[in-house]
Amino acid sequence: MKFSKKLITWYLQNKRTMPWRETKDPYRIWLSEIILQQTRVAQGLPYYLSFAEAFPTVFELASATEEQVLKLWQGLGYYSRARNLHATAKYIVNELEGVFPDTYKGLLELKGVGDYTASAIASICYDEPTPVVDGNVYRVLSRYFGINTPINTTAGIKEFKGLAIELMDHEQPATYNQAIMEFGALQCKPKNPYCIVCPINDSCVGLDKGAIGELPVKLKKIKVKKRYFNYLVYDNGNQTVLQQRLGKGIWEGLYEFPLIEDEKCTVDTIPTTQTFKEMVNGGEYVITPFKEEPIVHKLSHQHIYTRFFIIKTDTNLLLQGIQKNVNRQEIHNYPVPILLGNFIDSFFKV
DNA sequence: AAAACGGGGGG
DNA sequence: CCCCCAGTTTT
């Protein structure tokens, strides 16, 4: 039997039930694919359900504010996905009369939709025979064919895509693409794959060579940077101060407390900063660290050593630039990084 | 070609 | 602690 047919047979017997497998509505498929980029099904599922309920069609999503979208996305990470999701929804509604492109090529034009996502939507919704190549596919193909070309190089990306095109099932594109991904997720797992009971273990080159543990090959890991975030949590009784992160960089579009990024910030140095002086404007204050030890927030590419300084004051805070006063009750409505969300939940208990 | 972009889970 | 996850965009 053909490689693709074997995977499809396995898939039909082993696939999980998932809400986006109950529809071919391009809006729902697109939504699920964006949410699942670099994200496990278990983590993305509750977000998919929330979005599908809050925004049943692309029209409701397009009508939302970016802040609403970011708030619903809070905690999922890679927030550019949420901004692109919203921008694309508005584009589909305003320029395309609410109708999604129905080809791989057309889908590729959408913000936040790259090669993988365009292939996924085109195949699942329109049965276009264009193969998906995600982390699962790299693993399955590298093992089955014993390919040790690093998957995160131009040569590797090209080689695996070419192979995927050859293997593509032209009779059942939608089923085949989901089959190979599900096979990678459940059977040909990163660690401890079930090779003993694998339906294609009789022709797996990687298994034959005892190389399953070394495949796929991936080049070098990134080095982690350290950063030091000191948040000024103003508290004049019923209000605090928030500001939005603008421009490029981490957490773009999300809100946070006024920030001093500096390794040596302390209770004693804060009153010497320009931003603090302008804010309290000569008034009385007491600064207390929330915790003595910094909270280390670990991201894949940086470790953020974070301290929250509580600034009790009765003075009228002088807001600067993008800063805004926020009531204790309102603070939970703002989209914030999970790091701040955790702090807010403990400090501003409802 | 390399770096940036989150957060959580598994071993 | 390290790796990986239904990747894309920017530098």
Side-chain angles (χ1 to χ4, degrees):
Chain A
M1 207 193 316
K2 265 176 61 183
F3 176 78
S4 67
K5 298 302 186 194
K6 288 182 186 173
L7 290 185
I8 288 174
T9 300
W10 175 92
Y11 176 68
L12 296 177
Q13 292 169 358
N14 296 280
K15 66 173 176 177
R16 294 167 287 183
T17 299
M18 297 198 266
W20 49 85
R21 289 198 172 140
E22 311 294 317
T23 180
K24 289 206 166 193
D25 175 3
Y27 168 68
R28 300 293 176 110
I29 299 301
W30 165 68
L31 177 61
S32 72
E33 293 300 344
I34 301 297
I35 286 175
L36 292 173
Q37 286 168 5
Q38 290 291 283
T39 304
R40 292 169 194 279
V41 168
Q43 189 187 3
L45 181 55
Y47 287 85
Y48 173 83
L49 296 174
S50 308
F51 271 84
E53 185 177 355
F55 312 119
T57 74
V58 70
F59 294 97
E60 284 86 5
L61 180 55
S63 300
T65 65
E66 182 171 294
E67 207 165 294
Q68 288 176 303
V69 176
L70 284 172
K71 183 61 190 178
L72 215 53
W73 198 272
Q74 180 175 311
L76 197 53
Y78 285 156
Y79 296 92
S80 65
R81 288 184 294 169
R83 298 193 308 272
N84 286 150
L85 186 82
H86 188 225
T88 293
K90 289 202 286 189
Y91 172 74
I92 300 277
V93 167
N94 296 331
E95 309 294 331
L96 305 181
E97 298 175 351
V99 181
F100 277 77
D102 61 357
T103 63
Y104 165 81
K105 204 161 174 284
L107 289 159
L108 209 44
E109 301 298 314
L110 304 176
K111 277 188 185 175
V113 174
D115 180 77
Y116 162 78
T117 306
S119 298
I121 301 173
S123 61
I124 294 172
C125 301
Y126 309 110
D127 273 308
E128 185 174 337
T130 175
V132 292
V133 184
D134 72 336
N136 293 305
V137 176
Y138 279 120
R139 188 167 54 255
V140 172
L141 296 187
S142 66
R143 287 175 175 173
Y144 185 74
F145 292 98
I147 301 168
N148 52 23
T149 311
I151 62 173
N152 55 343
T153 60
T154 305
I157 292 168
K158 207 169 158 187
E159 181 174 357
F160 282 95
K161 176 82 175 184
L163 181 54
I165 289 174
E166 288 180 39
L167 295 168
M168 183 75 218
D169 189 312
H170 287 249
E171 296 167 353
Q172 308 170 78
T175 309
Y176 169 70
N177 269 345
Q178 296 184 80
I180 190 169
M181 289 192 285
E182 191 79 331
F183 182 78
L186 301 182
Q187 176 84 22
C188 196
K189 301 180 295 171
K191 304 288 181 189
N192 308 318
Y194 303 134
C195 297
I196 310 292
V197 296
C198 176
I200 53 176
N201 62 8
D202 62 327
S203 43
C204 179
V205 176
L207 181 60
D208 217 41
K209 290 183 175 173
I212 295 297
E214 332 297 311
L215 297 171
V217 175
K218 208 169 179 177
L219 249 41
K220 71 164 182 262
K221 50 244 170 197
I222 55 171
K223 61 175 279 195
V224 177
K225 285 180 189 162
K226 290 183 180 177
R227 298 179 73 176
Y228 302 85
F229 283 9
N230 304 279
Y231 284 116
L232 306 188
V233 185
Y234 291 98
D235 179 3
N236 69 0
N238 65 328
Q239 282 192 321
T240 187
V241 177
L242 288 182
Q243 59 193 31
Q244 193 173 25
R245 287 185 72 93
L246 302 174
K248 296 300 164 198
I250 194 172
W251 301 329
E252 181 184 348
L254 301 192
Y255 286 79
E256 64 184 0
F257 300 102
L259 171 66
I260 298 174
E261 183 169 358
D262 169 27
E263 186 177 356
K264 300 183 183 62
C265 178
T266 69
V267 169
D268 297 323
T269 62
I270 288 171
T272 71
T273 64
Q274 190 63 23
T275 172
F276 178 88
K277 281 191 231 174
E278 288 181 20
M279 182 95 63
V280 300
N281 194 28
E284 299 285 317
Y285 59 83
V286 178
I287 305 180
T288 316
F290 180 62
K291 282 189 172 147
E292 286 304 327
E293 291 305 307
I295 297 165
V296 187
H297 187 63
K298 294 181 177 181
L299 304 176
S300 31
H301 51 291
Q302 50 187 303
H303 289 180
I304 302 177
Y305 292 76
T306 314
R307 302 188 71 188
F308 295 94
F309 293 94
I310 315 303
I311 303 172
K312 290 286 289 183
T313 176
D314 290 329
T315 190
N316 240 359
L317 299 167
L318 258 48
L319 302 181
Q320 300 154 56
I322 56 176
Q323 297 174 342
K324 47 174 31 173
N325 279 127
V326 176
N327 292 329
R328 297 183 78 97
Q329 297 80 8
E330 290 173 340
I331 193 170
H332 296 280
N333 300 333
Y334 288 83
V336 298
I338 206 67
L339 166 66
L340 272 73
N342 291 337
F343 166 80
I344 289 169
D345 286 346
S346 62
F347 188 73
F348 294 95
K349 285 192 185 63
V350 275

